[in-house]
Amino acid sequence: MTAGAHKGVWPDRATALAILAALVCAAPVFAVAWIALTGQSDDYLLHLARTRLPVYLIYSAYVGLVAAGGAALIGTGLGWLIARTEFPGRKLFSWVLILPLAVPAYVAAYAWLDLSQAGGPLHSWTGGLFPTVRGGWGSGLMFALVLYPYIFLLARDAFTGQSADAYNAARTLGAGPLSAFWRTSLPMARPALAAGVALVMMESLADYGTVSYLGAPTLSIGLIRAWSGAGSLVDAARLSLILVAIALVVFSLERMQRRRARTTAASGKHKPAPRLELTGWKAGLATLACLTPLALGLIIPLTRLAWLALNELPATGLVAATFHSLTLASISAVCAAILGMATAYALRGGRVMATVSARAAGLGYAVPGAVAAVGVIAILSGTQGLIDPAWQSLTGEVFPILLTGGAAALIFAYLSRFAAAAIGPSEAALGRVTPALDGAARTLGAGSRERLWRVHWPLIAAGVSSAGLLVFVEVLKELPATMILRPFNYDTLAIIAHNYAADERLGEAALPSLLIPLVALIPMIFVARYLSRTRTPSGTG
Amino acid sequence: MSQTQTVLSVRGAQRRYVKKGQAALASADLDLHAGRITALLGPSGSGKSTLLRAIAGLERLDGGEIRLGDTVWSGHGAHIPPETRRVGMVFQDYALFPHLDALSNVAFGLKGKDAKDIAQAQLEAAELGHKAKAFPHELSGGEQQRVALARALAPSPAVVLLDEPFSGLDRRLRHELRDRTVQTLKAAGATAMIVTHDAEEAMAVADELALMDAGRVIQTGTPDEVWMRPVSAVAARLLGDVEIIESTVETGRADTPFGAVDAHGFDEGETVHALIRPQAFGLSLAEDGTFTITRRRSAGTHLVFEFAPAEGGDTHWHAHTASPSPLHEGDRVSVSLDPAYLSVVRR
């Protein structure tokens, strides 16, 4: 029925675009795998395996676990509070709590290290008692503070959707309030929480800026060193493959949880749970619980950076860098929104090719930015190798070097990583356009173009826009892929911030660092409000 | 009911909704007796679910009390939490834990090493032993209901509460499960309360019937007593079709269009309601009858006649008679009343 009902609404063009999206997203991964498995290597990796690799692996696990644990604690707690209780300010917090996503973890790290290191205000005010935020736990903490919204969103919706009766049944069977939460509400929300935890782990594994600044040598540091230090594409690809393998393990664990999602759907009719009214000191405590992560993840770091920025000369090249960041983020956002929407339409058509494409595109999301960059380089240099001899024999001239193709290569890598993030929300938005609506519009004489414009677009516009804006924010924050792929002298805000911070010139890093979350906050507010009005799709991968 | 032991008593229970300010429970009184099934019948919004939830401890009382024997469960400022009340509850949507299999669901309220064994035995008794490892979504609606009942009974609760337990099932299954549920409750010797809005269902399961309206229990008794002798027009209507005729008492009798009926015990000149079940009417063909049959239709087990005064007018009444019947639309009839299906109450 689905295939027939939607025929005529650009079905074939949609499938073609979905296949394109899948190619863009998946090609770099396959290129990486190809290079890693066939390439000639000096013994760098062997040397690495004997020396640094165990450290990289241990730190990756350490950082990933601290990040996931911290974010799960904050996100689940706040999700429950927003979903199941009522207190003054709850409605506002339900979307404001998403905003720390606008802060890149490395920006939070710059601010917190500056605040807490010897000589910093927190250090001197507490007489050195406040621990310096650095190393594996410091990095994990930074990730927890800015990535918890992923878990918060999923937890909030999971708790909102739960039938109150399951909890009440547990109470009548002898379980106290805490025990009933622990034995029924929490396990019922587990698939959603697992999806959020997997996202947080992946984001922290993919990070480069935070871990390099705070001194936690994870795999992505090894990867960047292999590429920029040793200049070995093959070794970088092999390290990438290890990262991808870890990503696949994390996501298949999440899938196993999700497969049980059916078992956690409420049985029988659904009755929404009444919210627990919090008053007096309990309401105060709830407000405090919401304000704490906001302060730690958003307000304190941005205030500190603003303070630093006001006391220093502005960094040079800031205007150009801001322009570059905005350009890259906007183009990627629009492309991702188009690919995401096309894939959603193709999925609706129910064609096998479309489903395969959508899943292949989803693969890209599991791939850290540095890996995507390495894959793009592999593809470009492979293409160069194919074209060069032919071009030379035809024209007698040297073919221009593709790698300096500039921003296009960067956008390729960004899309590879983030386009999948646009598919899930678009699919969810399109779910609101039921076959009955299409049918109604048809009987009222609307053709396919008219239906698309008068029925579909008004219903999906907010969803598709918020998917695009999410990609905008992600690209704005992105660091490792940009570092690897950017054309010479093509700086973005993230690059400038990172370079100054790495040189211990935090004063100059402050303003670009501050600009990223400030620019990101505007689209983020739109996304956060949209996500609070509608329920999120359960995960995107 | 004085010869049976009262297990749980509700006195003057009051509950107001915070938002709307209106009373869900105005002042409800109810007794549950040992080993007996009480059906609480009322229209939606009458407060029956609120009363059930208050007994379970899921709602607090604003006034009145609920006690189990000598223990106050609710009232006088006290509120024992649901987990220490020893109530077993079957929810309307069963509320099976979706992340636990049938056995673990039944074992949820049990403690100790033999919890799983007791749960398994409980499932066997429900003839669901082979479904122990099945998850709720793998069970049919009827099986889910049986697991929910087994789960409620497993910890041997003092009182079992069932909230519209058959509403989610289709008609044929509903009858089967109703009988089964009664058998199971009887076998367990449980003191039970079943909330329903279906009069036929209430009378089929109940040892004792309690009628609820506007936040009060307006009548209790055996299904027979309540059906035959409703205390008010509202009570009579809850249990089925009834003709209500307003009249004034004169010399111990109340006049109706079908002749005067006995009304002793009422004051002279008092306004009363004569409550006449459709079964009370005897219709017989009569040339000089004062009524005319205006409609005849079959209801399967019986015939329904609509009849009106022969001289015309807006009023008409309904009679149920055994089929077959020689009467047809347009026939002139005379009407008699069977006092067994008739009662007189204060207005």
Side-chain angles (χ1 to χ4, degrees):
Chain A
M1 180 186 82
T2 41
H6 305 294
K7 254 191 190 145
V9 183
W10 48 308
D12 297 314
R13 263 170 288 177
T15 308
L17 277 169
I19 293 168
L20 178 69
L23 283 177
V24 167
C25 291
V29 188
F30 288 115
V32 161
W34 176 256
I35 296 280
L37 298 174
T38 64
Q40 289 290 323
S41 160
D42 35 14
D43 292 330
Y44 181 76
L45 194 72
L46 209 63
H47 168 71
L48 196 71
R50 288 206 199 97
T51 54
R52 302 290 295 159
L53 193 60
V55 176
Y56 292 153
L57 286 172
I58 289 170
Y59 262 100
S60 294
Y62 180 24
V63 169
L65 289 177
V66 173
L73 214 64
I74 304 173
T76 310
L78 292 180
W80 182 85
L81 214 54
I82 297 294
R84 299 298 282 269
T85 68
E86 187 61 77
F87 58 93
R90 186 194 64 81
K91 279 217 174 85
L92 183 71
F93 281 124
S94 78
W95 65 269
V96 170
L97 280 171
I98 303 170
L99 295 183
L101 263 188
V103 181
Y106 54 84
V107 166
Y110 300 159
W112 277 106
L113 179 59
D114 181 58
L115 282 167
S116 64
Q117 68 190 351
L122 272 179
H123 191 269
S124 40
W125 292 340
T126 59
L129 276 179
F130 197 91
T132 305
V133 176
R134 59 160 39 121
W137 72 268
S139 305
L141 186 67
M142 291 303 106
F143 294 129
L145 286 179
V146 298
L147 297 177
Y148 80 82
Y150 285 128
I151 297 176
F152 163 72
L153 271 172
L154 293 164
R156 185 193 70 187
D157 292 347
F159 288 131
T160 306
Q162 281 179 3
S163 159
D165 283 346
Y167 174 84
N168 286 336
R171 293 295 303 274
T172 64
L173 288 165
L178 260 180
S179 156
F181 171 77
W182 200 248
R183 291 176 68 189
T184 64
S185 307
L186 198 59
M188 283 163 73
R190 201 159 48 204
L193 297 179
V197 166
L199 270 176
V200 169
M201 279 199 150
M202 287 318 304
E203 291 274 333
S204 58
L205 279 180
D207 171 89
Y208 173 73
T210 315
V211 287
S212 72
Y213 191 69
L214 294 183
T218 60
L219 271 173
S220 31
I221 288 195
L223 204 167
I224 302 253
R225 277 186 194 157
W227 171 243
S228 64
S232 164
L233 183 59
V234 176
D235 289 317
R238 289 190 174 163
L239 281 174
S240 299
L241 216 54
I242 298 178
L243 255 182
V244 171
I246 295 177
L248 289 181
V249 169
V250 170
F251 274 106
S252 43
L253 287 177
E254 188 264 314
R255 282 270 152 189
M256 278 166 57
Q257 278 293 323
R258 181 119 47 111
R259 205 168 308 133
R260 295 189 43 180
R262 242 163 69 80
T263 70
T264 60
S267 71
K269 275 172 284 176
H270 173 73
K271 244 186 267 170
R275 292 179 197 279
L276 188 69
E277 298 260 357
L278 301 181
T279 49
W281 63 271
K282 283 182 182 165
L285 217 56
T287 309
L288 190 68
C290 291
L291 282 175
T292 307
L294 275 180
L296 297 181
L298 190 72
I299 300 165
I300 292 178
L302 295 198
T303 312
R304 180 62 185 169
L305 289 171
W307 172 257
L308 289 173
L310 287 174
N311 286 293
E312 284 282 342
L313 287 172
T316 48
L318 206 57
V319 175
T322 308
F323 180 72
H324 291 157
S325 279
L326 289 177
T327 311
L328 289 175
S330 309
I331 295 176
S332 306
V334 171
C335 292
I338 291 173
L339 292 182
M341 195 166 68
T343 307
Y345 267 104
L347 274 174
R348 199 173 154 87
R351 286 173 179 77
V352 181
M353 266 313 283
T355 317
V356 173
S357 299
R359 297 304 154 237
L363 195 64
Y365 206 55
V367 175
V371 177
V374 170
V376 168
I377 287 176
I379 291 171
L380 293 183
S381 60
T383 315
Q384 185 104 41
L386 287 177
I387 294 178
D388 270 354
W391 187 266
Q392 205 145 21
S393 65
L394 276 174
T395 64
E397 283 174 44
V398 179
F399 189 74
I401 296 170
L402 280 174
L403 266 182
T404 58
L410 261 178
I411 290 173
F412 183 11
Y414 291 150
L415 285 179
S416 162
R417 172 137 169 70
F418 298 124
I423 297 175
S426 302
E427 214 184 322
L430 202 57
R432 297 173 60 199
V433 186
T434 60
L437 281 184
D438 258 336
R442 264 191 173 179
T443 57
L444 294 168
S448 76
R449 209 172 281 258
E450 201 183 342
R451 264 180 285 146
L452 196 61
W453 188 240
R454 289 181 58 196
V455 181
H456 290 208
W457 182 245
L459 284 169
I460 64 175
V464 171
S465 313
S466 87
L469 290 173
L470 210 56
V471 173
F472 180 92
V473 172
E474 291 287 356
V475 170
L476 212 57
K477 288 160 45 180
E478 214 288 332
L479 181 62
T482 320
M483 280 182 66
I484 293 177
L485 274 177
R486 76 196 169 103
F488 186 64
N489 266 353
Y490 191 92
D491 286 335
T492 65
L493 286 174
I495 293 282
I496 291 195
H498 170 76
N499 285 347
Y500 280 122
D503 284 352
E504 302 286 330
R505 293 157 71 186
L506 198 57
E508 279 145 294
L511 192 54
S513 298
L514 186 63
L515 277 174
I516 299 170
L518 286 187
V519 171
L521 264 180
I522 301 160
M524 208 55 221
I525 288 172
F526 178 90
V527 173
R529 301 200 56 156
Y530 172 74
L531 290 178
S532 295
R533 268 185 287 121
T534 58
R535 300 194 49 197
T536 50
S538 53
T540 46
Chain B
M1 292 305 105
S2 53
Q3 67 270 40
T4 47
Q5 190 202 340
T6 300
V7 173
L8 179 126
S9 65
V10 181
R11 287 290 171 273
Q14 287 178 34
R15 172 74 185 161
R16 247 172 295 281
Y17 284 126
V18 185
K19 293 248 164 79
K20 295 169 218 157
Q22 80 209 27
L25 292 178
S27 175
D29 300 313
L30 185 68
D31 286 330
L32 299 185
H33 298 110
R36 296 177 73 88
I37 301 174
T38 301
L40 187 61
L41 174 71
S44 58
S46 59
K48 57 189 191 304
S49 276
T50 309
L51 180 56
L52 173 128
R53 293 170 62 83
I55 295 173
L58 296 170
E59 302 252 6
R60 283 170 177 275
L61 288 186
D62 294 321
E65 63 160 35
I66 298 170
R67 58 165 71 228
L68 181 82
D70 297 330
T71 317
V72 174
W73 272 4
S74 299
H76 311 294
H79 179 84
I80 294 189
E83 57 268 27
T84 48
R85 283 193 182 205
R86 295 179 52 230
V87 293
M89 184 145 166
V90 176
F91 290 78
Q92 190 171 359
D93 61 3
Y94 315 137
L96 294 180
F97 303 123
H99 59 295
L100 300 179
D101 61 26
L103 184 67
S104 303
N105 259 287
V106 177
F108 190 96
L110 297 169
K111 292 202 169 59
K113 266 187 287 213
D114 51 351
K116 294 269 171 179
D117 297 336
I118 298 173
Q120 184 65 36
Q122 199 66 244
L123 275 178
E124 305 280 356
E127 289 171 36
L128 282 173
H130 59 294
K131 297 273 186 171
K133 291 284 156 216
F135 281 89
H137 72 274
E138 295 162 340
L139 299 171
S140 72
E143 287 168 343
Q144 289 182 16
Q145 197 265 3
R146 279 148 63 197
V147 172
L149 182 60
R151 181 179 73 178
L153 288 172
S156 317
V159 178
V160 183
L161 307 170
L162 301 93
D163 190 5
E164 304 266 6
F166 314 112
S167 64
L169 306 166
D170 67 55
R171 199 184 161 81
R172 189 191 53 76
L173 194 60
R174 188 155 40 188
H175 284 216
E176 188 190 314
L177 231 82
R178 196 162 76 189
D179 295 343
R180 218 195 152 90
T181 301
V182 171
Q183 274 171 28
T184 308
L185 289 172
K186 288 288 168 199
T191 303
M193 181 172 102
I194 299 182
V195 159
T196 175
H197 64 271
D198 182 331
E200 190 221 330
E201 183 171 294
M203 286 189 281
V205 297
D207 298 318
E208 288 165 41
L209 192 57
L211 302 182
M212 224 174 150
D213 184 63
R216 291 169 197 275
V217 175
I218 55 174
Q219 188 173 9
T220 56
T222 65
D224 273 353
E225 285 168 0
V226 178
W227 196 80
M228 304 277 263
R229 295 281 171 263
V231 294
S232 68
V234 175
R237 262 208 210 97
L238 274 176
L239 286 179
D241 296 336
V242 66
E243 299 292 357
I244 299 163
I245 288 153
E246 192 169 300
S247 179
T248 311
V249 178
E250 276 171 43
T251 60
R253 293 180 76 76
D255 200 29
T256 75
F258 325 105
V261 297
D262 179 47
H264 71 262
F266 295 93
D267 296 336
E268 278 294 298
E270 190 175 357
T271 311
V272 293
H273 277 152
L275 308 174
I276 309 172
R277 294 278 177 209
Q279 291 84 343
F281 294 110
L283 308 179
S284 43
L285 260 179
E287 294 271 316
D288 58 345
T290 47
F291 300 95
T292 312
I293 305 277
T294 51
R295 193 154 173 240
R296 174 196 209 262
R297 64 188 167 84
S298 173
T301 53
H302 58 269
L303 289 169
V304 178
F305 288 102
E306 201 176 280
F307 61 99
E311 65 265 29
D314 291 338
T315 45
H316 62 259
W317 304 276
H318 295 91
H320 294 180
T321 67
S323 59
S325 161
L327 301 175
H328 294 94
E329 284 176 22
D331 286 347
R332 279 286 188 114
V333 290
S334 64
V335 176
S336 62
L337 288 176
D338 178 347
Y341 294 105
L342 170 162
S343 52
V344 177
V345 297
R346 277 193 182 83
R347 190 177 60 155

